Amino acid sequence: MEYNDIRALLGKYWACESTEEEEEALRVFYAGHEGALPADLQEAAPLFRYFHDCSDVPEMPELFTDRPAPWDEPPAIVRPIWQNWMKYAAAVLVAGGLLYSADSFRDKQSDELAFRDTYSDPKLAYEQTQRALQLLSKNLNRGKTQMEKIGYFSEATEKVQGKN
Amino acid sequence: MTSSAFQSLILPYRQKLYCFAYRLLGNEEDAKDVVQDAFIRVWNNREKMPELQSLEAWCMRITRNLALDRLKSRKYRATDDLDRAGELPAAHQTPLQHAEKSDVMRRVHGAIARLPEKFRTVLQLRDMDGLSYQEIADTLEIGLAEVKINLHRARKQVREQLQNLQVYGIQ
């Protein structure tokens, strides 16, 4: 390319009127040119050589090597049908266990309620118990007196029958 | 959008996005992380895709925002690490020529790195990534006129620094 063409392209470049193709032509010219340049063309040489060098970007590394890419759908897991019965059996067992537990809990609650409702006032309960035991004791003593009388009568009967 | 549609429409941009992120960050690992995060964000917002005019510009915009966030959060400076440019010696260059070239490349890189962010991004998108003015406008969500103004100012500032470098040997 003639130097005059380069001068014209540079003028357009600095004025931001150059096309992408013209700018690429400048990069290629400066990157490939060897030897001395006219003084007015030297000014832009480092810039276009820099742009040319910058086009060498390191090779693109592989992405998502450390984590899965979000758009990678997980593969669908197809299980044989016979594997599903365990799921339902487990559900039935859990349900049965829950029912049994609830039933046991209810029975326990009702037993506790039966014992708890026998008295409301401990002092009154004590007095009532004392009265009941005194009545029982009195009746037992009465029964003992009657048994002693029967004992005397039995002894007398044996004497009369001549066992002596 | 299905997984297969996403992979056929979006994944082809990965090289372009990676180059863009790499030039912003100057680091392969960070560029890879940013591109991965960008793809995840695009996937999570895939229901917006039918409303978009340019999927590529949308992906570029997301990548740019993530890269800038990373630069800000880490106080990152992809500045004077121009070893990569220096590691591209032509076989015919002498060590002296190679060193001189590396030095010049470092200075050009510094001149671009010192540009305000909005100028630098436009310059990069145009002169390194080869985007059209319209694509840049879509990517940065600005008007065509603003793209041209920012690009003009960016090139003007770089040119002034190159002239100082050439005439006075300073920047």
Side-chain angles (χ1 to χ4, degrees):
Chain A
M1 193 177 278
E2 296 292 328
Y3 289 150
N4 281 338
D5 295 335
I6 298 300
R7 285 188 186 95
L9 289 183
L10 274 178
K12 291 175 76 176
Y13 174 80
W14 294 123
C16 292
E17 293 167 353
S18 51
T19 64
E20 291 162 62
E21 291 75 23
E22 289 167 340
E23 290 166 15
E24 178 61 22
L26 284 170
R27 281 194 285 273
V28 169
F29 169 77
Y30 277 110
H33 188 274
E34 290 181 12
L37 280 167
D40 59 329
L41 297 185
Q42 286 177 15
E43 170 194 275
L47 184 63
F48 283 100
R49 285 177 186 150
Y50 176 76
F51 290 154
H52 186 267
D53 284 354
C54 280
S55 63
D56 293 329
V57 173
E59 194 177 339
M60 172 91 187
E62 194 179 347
L63 297 178
F64 294 102
T65 51
D66 52 343
R67 50 186 153 158
W71 51 84
D72 282 343
E73 294 162 354
I77 300 171
V78 181
R79 295 181 189 281
I81 197 163
W82 56 266
Q83 282 191 357
N84 286 335
W85 71 269
M86 284 190 278
K87 187 167 62 181
Y88 299 119
V92 168
L93 276 176
V94 169
L98 285 173
L99 283 174
Y100 177 76
S101 301
D103 198 40
S104 302
F105 180 73
R106 197 171 53 223
D107 288 350
K108 194 176 171 188
Q109 286 282 77
S110 58
D111 289 348
E112 284 178 358
L113 283 174
F115 284 114
R116 194 187 308 145
D117 288 342
T118 51
Y119 66 91
S120 57
D121 184 357
K123 191 177 175 185
L124 181 63
Y126 175 72
E127 288 171 357
Q128 291 294 328
T129 306
Q130 209 170 21
R131 272 184 61 191
L133 289 173
Q134 281 172 352
L135 186 64
L136 179 64
S137 172
K138 188 178 171 184
N139 286 328
L140 280 174
N141 286 335
R142 188 183 296 165
K144 186 182 170 187
T145 309
Q146 295 300 326
M147 287 299 290
E148 283 173 353
K149 285 179 182 175
I150 289 172
Y152 295 146
F153 180 74
S154 177
E155 197 177 332
T157 305
E158 283 175 1
K159 282 181 181 175
V160 170
Q161 286 176 351
K163 286 184 180 177
N164 49 355
Chain B
M1 173 175 278
T2 63
S3 171
S4 59
F6 179 86
Q7 291 183 53
S8 62
L9 285 173
I10 302 295
L11 288 192
Y13 298 136
R14 63 181 180 273
Q15 181 67 38
K16 201 166 189 176
L17 298 180
Y18 177 73
C19 292
F20 182 44
Y22 178 79
R23 290 196 184 107
L24 279 173
L25 296 163
N27 177 292
E28 294 174 40
E29 272 302 307
D30 284 347
K32 178 190 168 187
D33 287 346
V34 161
V35 173
Q36 284 191 168
D37 291 346
F39 276 139
I40 290 170
R41 190 168 291 191
V42 170
W43 172 255
N44 291 340
N45 291 285
R46 60 191 178 280
E47 72 279 0
K48 292 181 185 170
M49 287 184 188
E51 307 160 14
L52 297 168
Q53 288 185 335
S54 168
L55 286 177
E56 183 182 348
W58 185 50
C59 294
M60 293 283 276
R61 195 157 59 239
I62 289 174
T63 305
R64 170 181 172 266
N65 291 340
L66 288 170
L68 292 180
D69 286 347
R70 183 164 289 228
L71 282 171
K72 285 175 192 165
S73 66
R74 293 189 181 177
K75 306 284 183 192
Y76 203 104
R77 288 196 72 207
T79 51
D80 298 327
D81 181 16
L82 246 198
D83 294 343
R84 185 181 58 78
E87 287 166 5
L88 301 169
H92 59 274
Q93 284 182 331
T94 65
L96 178 62
Q97 287 172 323
H98 177 209
E100 284 174 346
K101 184 184 175 189
S102 294
D103 187 51
V104 170
M105 291 294 104
R106 192 172 291 113
R107 285 167 185 264
V108 174
H109 182 82
I112 293 172
R114 275 190 291 277
L115 290 172
E117 192 269 321
K118 62 180 182 180
F119 292 174
R120 188 173 63 245
T121 306
V122 171
L123 186 80
Q124 182 196 323
L125 288 171
R126 177 68 184 185
D127 287 332
M128 299 185 211
D129 295 321
L131 267 61
S132 67
Y133 290 144
Q134 187 59 56
E135 286 172 328
I136 296 171
D138 291 341
T139 299
L140 302 181
E141 290 184 300
I142 57 177
L144 265 179
E146 195 177 348
V147 171
K148 290 181 182 175
I149 289 169
N150 288 345
L151 183 63
H152 189 261
R153 290 178 179 165
R155 285 176 176 172
K156 188 179 173 193
Q157 287 188 21
V158 171
R159 188 182 190 187
E160 286 169 359
Q161 295 196 47
L162 291 176
Q163 285 170 338
N164 288 337
L165 178 67
Q166 191 180 13
V167 176
Y168 305 110
I170 57 166
Q171 273 189 280

